[in-house]
mmCIF file of all heavy atoms in Angstrom:
data_model
loop_
_atom_site.group_PDB
_atom_site.id
_atom_site.type_symbol
_atom_site.label_atom_id
_atom_site.label_comp_id
_atom_site.label_asym_id
_atom_site.label_seq_id
_atom_site.Cartn_x
_atom_site.Cartn_y
_atom_site.Cartn_z
ATOM 1 N N LEU A 154 131.688 109.059 110.294
ATOM 2 C CA LEU A 154 131.326 110.170 109.536
ATOM 3 C C LEU A 154 130.862 111.390 110.448
ATOM 4 O O LEU A 154 130.297 111.230 111.448
ATOM 5 C CB LEU A 154 130.013 109.883 108.728
ATOM 6 C CG LEU A 154 130.304 108.694 107.618
ATOM 7 C CD1 LEU A 154 128.907 108.486 107.024
ATOM 8 C CD2 LEU A 154 131.182 109.147 106.563
ATOM 9 N N SER A 155 130.999 112.574 109.812
ATOM 10 C CA SER A 155 130.592 113.775 110.559
ATOM 11 C C SER A 155 129.058 113.983 110.298
ATOM 12 O O SER A 155 128.469 113.317 109.428
ATOM 13 C CB SER A 155 131.309 115.026 110.083
ATOM 14 O OG SER A 155 130.777 115.314 108.801
ATOM 15 N N ASP A 156 128.425 114.889 111.065
ATOM 16 C CA ASP A 156 127.012 115.079 110.883
ATOM 17 C C ASP A 156 126.618 115.482 109.582
ATOM 18 O O ASP A 156 125.636 114.997 108.919
ATOM 19 C CB ASP A 156 126.489 116.164 111.928
ATOM 20 C CG ASP A 156 126.501 115.576 113.302
ATOM 21 O OD1 ASP A 156 126.354 114.332 113.488
ATOM 22 O OD2 ASP A 156 126.475 116.335 114.278
ATOM 23 N N THR A 157 127.374 116.360 108.848
ATOM 24 C CA THR A 157 126.953 116.847 107.562
ATOM 25 C C THR A 157 127.137 115.757 106.609
ATOM 26 O O THR A 157 126.346 115.522 105.641
ATOM 27 C CB THR A 157 127.967 117.945 107.116
ATOM 28 O OG1 THR A 157 128.660 118.411 108.130
ATOM 29 C CG2 THR A 157 127.218 118.963 106.309
ATOM 30 N N GLU A 158 128.158 114.916 106.757
ATOM 31 C CA GLU A 158 128.292 113.684 105.803
ATOM 32 C C GLU A 158 127.225 112.736 105.991
ATOM 33 O O GLU A 158 126.822 112.143 104.994
ATOM 34 C CB GLU A 158 129.733 113.020 106.182
ATOM 35 C CG GLU A 158 130.887 113.896 105.529
ATOM 36 C CD GLU A 158 132.193 113.340 106.173
ATOM 37 O OE1 GLU A 158 132.230 112.601 107.049
ATOM 38 O OE2 GLU A 158 133.198 113.840 105.591
ATOM 39 N N ARG A 159 126.754 112.545 107.246
ATOM 40 C CA ARG A 159 125.623 111.614 107.452
ATOM 41 C C ARG A 159 124.402 112.139 106.745
ATOM 42 O O ARG A 159 123.594 111.334 106.192
ATOM 43 C CB ARG A 159 125.307 111.432 108.895
ATOM 44 C CG ARG A 159 126.370 110.611 109.624
ATOM 45 C CD ARG A 159 125.975 110.155 110.977
ATOM 46 N NE ARG A 159 127.148 109.724 111.718
ATOM 47 C CZ ARG A 159 127.583 110.216 112.955
ATOM 48 N NH1 ARG A 159 126.705 111.157 113.393
ATOM 49 N NH2 ARG A 159 128.589 109.804 113.491
ATOM 50 N N ASP A 160 124.127 113.416 106.885
ATOM 51 C CA ASP A 160 123.038 114.011 106.080
ATOM 52 C C ASP A 160 123.169 113.734 104.674
ATOM 53 O O ASP A 160 122.086 113.421 103.951
ATOM 54 C CB ASP A 160 122.949 115.520 106.340
ATOM 55 C CG ASP A 160 122.097 115.851 107.550
ATOM 56 O OD1 ASP A 160 121.597 115.015 108.174
ATOM 57 O OD2 ASP A 160 122.159 117.095 107.859
ATOM 58 N N VAL A 161 124.241 113.953 104.071
ATOM 59 C CA VAL A 161 124.515 113.895 102.646
ATOM 60 C C VAL A 161 124.289 112.314 102.299
ATOM 61 O O VAL A 161 123.693 111.964 101.293
ATOM 62 C CB VAL A 161 125.839 114.370 102.151
ATOM 63 C CG1 VAL A 161 126.131 114.035 100.651
ATOM 64 C CG2 VAL A 161 126.058 115.743 102.547
ATOM 65 N N LEU A 162 124.756 111.435 103.103
ATOM 66 C CA LEU A 162 124.560 109.973 102.874
ATOM 67 C C LEU A 162 123.125 109.617 102.902
ATOM 68 O O LEU A 162 122.687 108.817 102.093
ATOM 69 C CB LEU A 162 125.322 109.226 104.108
ATOM 70 C CG LEU A 162 125.264 107.747 103.995
ATOM 71 C CD1 LEU A 162 125.747 107.115 102.659
ATOM 72 C CD2 LEU A 162 125.917 107.121 105.115
ATOM 73 N N MET A 163 122.310 110.181 103.798
ATOM 74 C CA MET A 163 120.971 109.824 103.777
ATOM 75 C C MET A 163 120.264 110.272 102.528
ATOM 76 O O MET A 163 119.430 109.578 102.017
ATOM 77 C CB MET A 163 120.232 110.596 104.954
ATOM 78 C CG MET A 163 118.851 110.193 105.230
ATOM 79 S SD MET A 163 118.558 108.479 105.631
ATOM 80 C CE MET A 163 118.462 108.509 107.356
ATOM 81 N N LYS A 164 120.630 111.458 102.076
ATOM 82 C CA LYS A 164 120.146 111.959 100.774
ATOM 83 C C LYS A 164 120.403 111.000 99.672
ATOM 84 O O LYS A 164 119.631 110.596 98.726
ATOM 85 C CB LYS A 164 120.634 113.387 100.427
ATOM 86 C CG LYS A 164 120.109 114.407 101.301
ATOM 87 C CD LYS A 164 120.677 115.702 100.852
ATOM 88 C CE LYS A 164 120.332 116.882 101.859
ATOM 89 N NZ LYS A 164 121.027 118.162 101.527
ATOM 90 N N TYR A 165 121.711 110.528 99.654
ATOM 91 C CA TYR A 165 122.133 109.574 98.629
ATOM 92 C C TYR A 165 121.368 108.321 98.674
ATOM 93 O O TYR A 165 121.078 107.672 97.768
ATOM 94 C CB TYR A 165 123.633 109.484 98.639
ATOM 95 C CG TYR A 165 124.315 110.376 97.684
ATOM 96 C CD1 TYR A 165 125.231 111.294 98.283
ATOM 97 C CD2 TYR A 165 124.155 110.437 96.396
ATOM 98 C CE1 TYR A 165 125.747 112.256 97.548
ATOM 99 C CE2 TYR A 165 124.780 111.389 95.515
ATOM 100 C CZ TYR A 165 125.635 112.298 96.148
ATOM 101 O OH TYR A 165 126.132 113.240 95.430
ATOM 102 N N LEU A 166 121.030 107.723 99.917
ATOM 103 C CA LEU A 166 120.491 106.552 100.116
ATOM 104 C C LEU A 166 119.200 106.639 99.444
ATOM 105 O O LEU A 166 118.676 105.735 98.743
ATOM 106 C CB LEU A 166 120.302 106.095 101.647
ATOM 107 C CG LEU A 166 121.584 105.609 102.344
ATOM 108 C CD1 LEU A 166 121.261 105.433 103.780
ATOM 109 C CD2 LEU A 166 122.048 104.399 101.716
ATOM 110 N N TYR A 167 118.396 107.702 99.759
ATOM 111 C CA TYR A 167 117.053 107.885 99.222
ATOM 112 C C TYR A 167 117.036 108.005 97.719
ATOM 113 O O TYR A 167 116.192 107.526 96.874
ATOM 114 C CB TYR A 167 116.259 109.127 99.763
ATOM 115 C CG TYR A 167 115.724 108.806 101.109
ATOM 116 C CD1 TYR A 167 116.001 109.467 102.271
ATOM 117 C CD2 TYR A 167 114.731 107.717 101.192
ATOM 118 C CE1 TYR A 167 115.292 109.235 103.410
ATOM 119 C CE2 TYR A 167 114.122 107.510 102.416
ATOM 120 C CZ TYR A 167 114.482 108.230 103.516
ATOM 121 O OH TYR A 167 113.873 107.921 104.709
ATOM 122 N N LYS A 168 118.097 108.706 97.246
ATOM 123 C CA LYS A 168 118.334 108.849 95.706
ATOM 124 C C LYS A 168 118.445 107.533 95.066
ATOM 125 O O LYS A 168 117.795 107.240 94.081
ATOM 126 C CB LYS A 168 119.455 109.768 95.490
ATOM 127 C CG LYS A 168 119.508 110.180 93.901
ATOM 128 C CD LYS A 168 120.650 111.046 93.733
ATOM 129 C CE LYS A 168 120.955 111.281 92.144
ATOM 130 N NZ LYS A 168 120.123 112.140 91.532
ATOM 131 N N ILE A 169 119.271 106.614 95.638
ATOM 132 C CA ILE A 169 119.612 105.374 94.916
ATOM 133 C C ILE A 169 118.405 104.407 95.096
ATOM 134 O O ILE A 169 118.017 103.679 94.251
ATOM 135 C CB ILE A 169 120.935 104.730 95.431
ATOM 136 C CG1 ILE A 169 122.041 105.755 95.317
ATOM 137 C CG2 ILE A 169 121.297 103.567 94.634
ATOM 138 C CD1 ILE A 169 123.398 105.314 95.926
ATOM 139 N N LEU A 170 117.717 104.545 96.309
ATOM 140 C CA LEU A 170 116.635 103.696 96.645
ATOM 141 C C LEU A 170 115.415 103.968 95.571
ATOM 142 O O LEU A 170 114.713 103.229 95.209
ATOM 143 C CB LEU A 170 116.080 103.783 98.065
ATOM 144 C CG LEU A 170 116.671 102.964 99.083
ATOM 145 C CD1 LEU A 170 116.165 103.404 100.545
ATOM 146 C CD2 LEU A 170 116.227 101.542 98.915
ATOM 147 N N GLY A 171 115.459 105.227 95.250
ATOM 148 C CA GLY A 171 114.415 105.694 94.270
ATOM 149 C C GLY A 171 114.527 105.239 92.898
ATOM 150 O O GLY A 171 113.598 105.232 92.137
ATOM 151 N N ASP A 172 115.732 104.904 92.581
ATOM 152 C CA ASP A 172 116.062 104.600 91.160
ATOM 153 C C ASP A 172 115.820 103.131 90.961
ATOM 154 O O ASP A 172 116.523 102.183 91.427
ATOM 155 C CB ASP A 172 117.585 104.867 90.966
ATOM 156 C CG ASP A 172 118.021 104.593 89.552
ATOM 157 O OD1 ASP A 172 117.148 104.183 88.648
ATOM 158 O OD2 ASP A 172 119.207 104.720 89.317
ATOM 159 N N VAL A 173 114.754 102.747 90.232
ATOM 160 C CA VAL A 173 114.325 101.416 90.007
ATOM 161 C C VAL A 173 115.407 100.607 89.230
ATOM 162 O O VAL A 173 115.486 99.377 89.438
ATOM 163 C CB VAL A 173 113.008 101.249 89.245
ATOM 164 C CG1 VAL A 173 112.466 99.837 89.116
ATOM 165 C CG2 VAL A 173 111.919 102.150 89.884
ATOM 166 N N GLY A 174 116.185 101.260 88.474
ATOM 167 C CA GLY A 174 117.288 100.594 87.619
ATOM 168 C C GLY A 174 118.316 99.988 88.562
ATOM 169 O O GLY A 174 119.056 99.111 88.252
ATOM 170 N N GLN A 175 118.438 100.539 89.862
ATOM 171 C CA GLN A 175 119.510 100.062 90.767
ATOM 172 C C GLN A 175 118.872 99.199 91.860
ATOM 173 O O GLN A 175 119.392 99.174 93.047
ATOM 174 C CB GLN A 175 120.337 101.149 91.325
ATOM 175 C CG GLN A 175 121.028 101.973 90.304
ATOM 176 C CD GLN A 175 121.960 102.950 90.907
ATOM 177 O OE1 GLN A 175 122.802 102.584 91.712
ATOM 178 N NE2 GLN A 175 121.778 104.321 90.589
ATOM 179 N N CYS A 176 117.681 98.597 91.668
ATOM 180 C CA CYS A 176 116.920 98.036 92.811
ATOM 181 C C CYS A 176 117.616 96.839 93.301
ATOM 182 O O CYS A 176 117.272 96.273 94.416
ATOM 183 C CB CYS A 176 115.502 97.702 92.423
ATOM 184 S SG CYS A 176 115.393 96.540 91.024
#
Side-chain angles (χ1 to χ4, degrees):
Chain A
L154 297 174
S155 74
D156 284 336
T157 344
E158 283 165 349
R159 288 193 198 122
D160 271 355
V161 179
L162 178 60
M163 187 61 97
K164 290 183 190 175
Y165 271 116
L166 283 178
Y167 277 122
K168 186 180 170 80
I169 309 174
L170 271 170
D172 183 4
V173 185
Q175 298 187 56
C176 59

